[in-house]
Amino acid sequence: MSTIPNKWLLHHNTQGEEEKRLGRILLINILIYWVGSGIILFMDLVWGDGSLWLLLTSGCVLQLIPMVLLRQGKLSKSSLATAGIYITFITIAATLGQGIHDYALIAYPVMIMFAGLAQKRRGMIFATGLTLAGITWLTFGDIYGLYIPQINMHATVFDYVILIIIIIISNVVVHLLIEHLDYTNTQLKIELKERQKTEEALKQSREMYRLLAENVSDVIWIYDIIENRTRYISPSVERLRGYSPEEVIAGNMESALAPDSFRYVQQSIASRLKDFQNGQQAFYVDELEQICKDGSTVWTEVTANFQINPENGHIEIYGVSRNINEKRRAREALLASEERIRQLVDSAPYLIFGIDQDGTINFANIEASTLMGYSNNELVGKNVDELLPDRFRYTHAEHRHGYNEKPFIRQLGTGVNLLAQHKDGREIPVDIKLSYYRFEDSLHIIVFMQDISERKKAEELLHDSEARFRLLFETMVQGVVFQSKSGEVVLANPAAEHLLGLTSDQMQGRTSMDPRWRTIHEDGSELPGQEHPAMIALRTGQEVRNVVMGVFNPQVNDYRWINVHAVPQFKNDEQEPYQVYTTFDDVTDHKQINEALKASETRYRLLAENISDVIWILDVHIMRFRYVSPSIEKLRGYTVDEVLQQSLSEALTPQSFQLLQEKLPTYVQEYLDGNTGFHVNEVEQPCKDGSTIWTEATTSFHINEATSHLEVYGVSRDITERKLNERLLMQANQELHNHVKKVELLRMELQEQAIHDPLTGLYNRRYLAEYLAHELNRAERENIPISLLMMDVDHFKDINDSYGHKTGDKFLIAIADLLKTNSRGSDIACRYGGEEFILVMSGIETQAAYDRAEQFRTQCTQIYIQYETKSINITVSVGIATYPNHTKMAEDLILKADKALYQSKENGRNRVMIWGEI
């Protein structure tokens, strides 16, 4: 719409409104005159002498003149006629009435104002002139007695002055009103010019937006909800869906969307339209699946909002659609990857959760919920500090801020332990590992947390045990002395101080070679220092046991007899001992020592009988248990006595027993070779109720000094639950592997189907496009020719129409088999479409290609298909184009072969034509 019509329309509308307003005023004035005249006439006829009826009737008849002019649309003449009739008949009425004193003269200023407002200056001058003429007439009539009837009282100067002032005021008021109307009219013209400029700018803007809409890749559209149709769509829809804009506008929404997307749009439009009608303006973003012209679908991201069309008042949807097929595929791949990672994280045997640099948890695995007692929804969004006891939260927040400034990777088992707080308030000792990554300039931390409650309990037991052993060391009756590699005393317990009569400080630094010990043999002879059991053990690296010797005690000034055992100690992978410890008993008070030993054994037995793990001793010579702790009954259901009656084969499942038989000789040989380390094995054991359990057995070998039999000292721990979890994890991994393998096979199968014609088994047109472009690039690199044969079955439509499509399909299959049989391994045979075939021959010049084409044409004439009682054969036409003789473009090569084929058909069919020779 141009700006000139708009300007004219606005001016026309304004002028029309003004004329309507003036017409209404004129009509009201005429009606007032008629009604007023009617009332006066009625009053004159009823109460008066009837002298006014002629005057009043004449005035009413004359009012028909402005009424007719008003009807004809001549507003200017109608308004002047109305003012003139009013003033004239007022003057006549005043002449016949009471003179200038009559209040009817007040109507003069009123009519001047009316005429001025109706016709501006022209009307004001006209009404003022008539008014002055009427006043002059009334004045002279008053002076010279021209009124009928005559009156004795004449108008005073004051009356005339007042009347003149009223007239002047009326002219001034009308003049000011006219000036205001002129100013308003001037402003309106300025506004019209500004609107003209705005509309011109709007026109340019619309043109820019039109060019933008027609050239952007996104599709811009307008949909009329009232008419249920697309009112506008940009040309880019043809690139997106294959339809032209005209085809889309002629269609409907249901044909443009996939069923699920169409149902979603129907549901959402109703609620969004209601929101729009309630005054809510919003942009909506949806992902919709749209149908393409070739039958495929494309996913689009649609951004839309509601608007009202100012031209027809219809509610319309303005939208932009963007192709997001690649985005969705990437998102689906990402979601699949995230799902695999999530499953791996959820199957982890320890707690894993992620936090941002503010400490807010943004994901957590299943084990986290299990360990902490919170649901996953409760954990996500919670600050990690809230998972700690109150007393640690402040300091932990400070450490966390320090970590954010200098992040590092912390491994499990580095000795950094914390106390986590369960949802029910109990505290859980945990070991943590920290890792981090940065995303969008923000630090994110991954926390691996392991419940070490069992380990803590074990450490506490170990600490208690060490405390007990320390207490035992300091309170035991046996003397214990530790000596360094050089034989110097480094530590001695109080019992040793008591037995030897020296304080620990006095013994520090002494060696067994020091003569002050005054040691003697059992026979009373002197015992040289080099023969002391400690020195022998250091020298030989072997234990020295049960050596009875006498040592002088200076406190009692007498000898004390002691039974000495010396044990060398080695560090890992070292052949020489780094120290030796000796224990010795005061055999002079053997009973007291035996009681102390019995008490010590009792403490050890109590320890063995009250822990949950099973402690046992196995005699390797007879392969039976010599000792089993009472916790065996909790583990396997058998009593201690029942287990002691069992052989080792009865205590293990056949598979575990066989495994032990295979490993036992190796372990024994290692022990005999001096390797006194521990062995850890997982074995399956039968229970009394018929079930089996898995245990982790930690073992070491020792010689029983009483029987000289080799024995196995072992501790067994129940790991059934752990084995079950390991087996479930392996099964899950295997299932995942099988699933991935199936998906890969399916992908390969789909890929094969996508590039082959289902009827003939030849490659299809899609594969040809990819292959031919690749072959032309290779031909360019290697400087070799490529010939392309395009074959078409002659009169194939007649065969289908006369003998049916099955017969036609048989010919197509036969030709395909012929191409497969007579093609080289490097040739590519394709069904190009319908009855057309293409054979791509690398390294073949035009003439050689022509010879092969003639061979194929001849062989095709020998193909016969039996139809009922008839034997039918066919002929083919062939077109040839060669790279690079005819063209270097893949599409052009096919096009020129097609033109050569067309020429062979024009020349009578059943022949071969070469591009360039037609």
Side-chain angles (χ1 to χ4, degrees), residues 167-341:
I167 292 172
I168 292 172
I169 291 172
S170 299
N171 276 272
V172 171
V173 169
V174 172
H175 177 72
L176 292 176
L177 288 173
I178 290 172
E179 283 189 348
H180 175 71
L181 289 175
D182 289 340
Y183 174 76
T184 302
N185 189 42
T186 303
Q187 292 299 315
L188 183 60
K189 289 180 180 179
I190 295 173
E191 183 181 350
L192 287 173
K193 290 182 180 179
E194 291 296 328
R195 180 170 294 188
Q196 182 180 4
K197 293 180 181 179
T198 303
E199 289 179 348
E200 184 65 29
L202 180 60
K203 180 180 178 182
Q204 296 177 357
S205 176
R206 285 178 176 173
E207 181 64 19
M208 292 173 59
Y209 278 115
R210 184 187 65 79
L211 293 174
L212 176 63
E214 292 178 355
N215 290 281
V216 296
S217 60
D218 294 347
V219 179
I220 302 172
W221 49 268
I222 303 174
Y223 189 84
D224 191 318
I225 295 179
I226 305 301
E227 298 180 359
N228 194 25
R229 68 179 183 89
T230 302
R231 189 168 66 82
Y232 168 78
I233 192 163
S234 62
S236 51
V237 70
E238 192 161 2
R239 293 194 297 270
L240 180 68
R241 297 176 52 211
Y243 290 102
S244 67
E246 293 77 14
E247 290 174 319
V248 175
I249 292 174
N252 55 38
M253 183 187 295
E254 185 174 4
S255 63
L257 298 176
D260 289 343
S261 294
F262 178 68
R263 285 191 293 271
Y264 169 77
V265 170
Q266 281 185 313
Q267 295 170 0
S268 61
I269 281 182
S271 61
R272 293 173 181 177
L273 180 59
K274 185 176 180 181
D275 293 340
F276 175 73
Q277 291 172 338
N278 291 333
Q280 296 185 17
Q281 287 282 356
F283 283 89
Y284 303 98
V285 180
D286 299 301
E287 292 186 1
L288 302 178
E289 187 177 15
Q290 300 193 33
I291 300 174
C292 300
K293 193 171 184 177
D294 60 6
S296 62
T297 61
V298 59
W299 278 95
T300 58
E301 181 182 77
V302 178
T303 304
N305 73 331
F306 290 82
Q307 298 289 339
I308 294 179
N309 189 329
E311 296 180 357
N312 56 21
H314 289 183
I315 298 177
E316 297 178 338
I317 304 176
Y318 287 61
V320 178
S321 299
R322 173 171 294 174
N323 187 340
I324 59 168
N325 269 347
E326 292 299 326
K327 176 181 175 182
R328 281 182 65 90
R329 281 194 288 268
R331 184 171 62 193
E332 290 170 358
L334 178 61
L335 290 175
S337 175
E338 289 178 348
E339 177 62 20
R340 288 194 296 270
I341 294 173

Side-chain angles (χ1 to χ4, degrees), residues 77-206:
K77 293 181 179 180
S78 176
S79 59
L80 293 176
T82 300
I85 292 170
Y86 259 92
I87 294 172
T88 300
F89 274 85
I90 287 169
T91 304
I92 293 172
T95 301
L96 298 177
Q98 299 299 322
I100 200 162
H101 300 289
D102 200 322
Y103 290 108
L105 294 178
I106 299 300
Y108 283 154
V110 174
M111 295 313 300
I112 292 173
M113 294 175 66
F114 166 76
L117 291 174
Q119 295 298 320
K120 299 184 180 178
R121 290 181 176 84
R122 185 177 66 172
M124 185 175 65
I125 294 170
F126 172 75
T128 302
L130 283 179
T131 300
L132 290 175
I135 292 172
T136 303
W137 163 255
L138 293 176
T139 302
F140 278 98
D142 195 16
I143 295 173
Y144 296 107
L146 300 178
Y147 294 134
I148 300 173
Q150 295 183 359
I151 58 175
N152 295 325
M153 292 185 64
H154 299 292
T156 65
V157 176
F158 178 77
D159 294 329
Y160 295 120
V161 171
I162 291 299
L163 186 59
I164 294 299
I165 290 172
I166 291 174
I167 292 172
I168 292 172
I169 291 172
S170 299
N171 276 272
V172 171
V173 169
V174 172
H175 177 72
L176 292 176
L177 288 173
I178 290 172
E179 283 189 348
H180 175 71
L181 289 175
D182 289 340
Y183 174 76
T184 302
N185 189 42
T186 303
Q187 292 299 315
L188 183 60
K189 289 180 180 179
I190 295 173
E191 183 181 350
L192 287 173
K193 290 182 180 179
E194 291 296 328
R195 180 170 294 188
Q196 182 180 4
K197 293 180 181 179
T198 303
E199 289 179 348
E200 184 65 29
L202 180 60
K203 180 180 178 182
Q204 296 177 357
S205 176
R206 285 178 176 173

Side-chain angles (χ1 to χ4, degrees), residues 38 61 78 107 126 187 213 231 261 279 282 533 595 834 859 862 873 910:
V61 172
S78 176
F126 172 75
Q187 292 299 315
R231 189 168 66 82
S261 294
E595 289 176 353
Q859 290 173 334
Q862 299 171 4
N873 72 326
N910 192 22

Side-chain angles (χ1 to χ4, degrees), residues 577-593:
Y578 72 96
Q579 70 175 11
V580 62
Y581 72 90
T582 56
T583 61
F584 42 91
D585 300 324
D586 186 356
V587 295
T588 57
D589 198 358
H590 188 65
K591 181 179 180 181
Q592 183 179 0
I593 293 177

Side-chain angles (χ1 to χ4, degrees), residues 27-41:
L27 182 60
I28 291 170
N29 273 284
I30 294 170
L31 292 176
I32 289 172
Y33 189 94
W34 281 347
V35 173
S37 297
I39 293 172
I40 296 172
L41 181 60

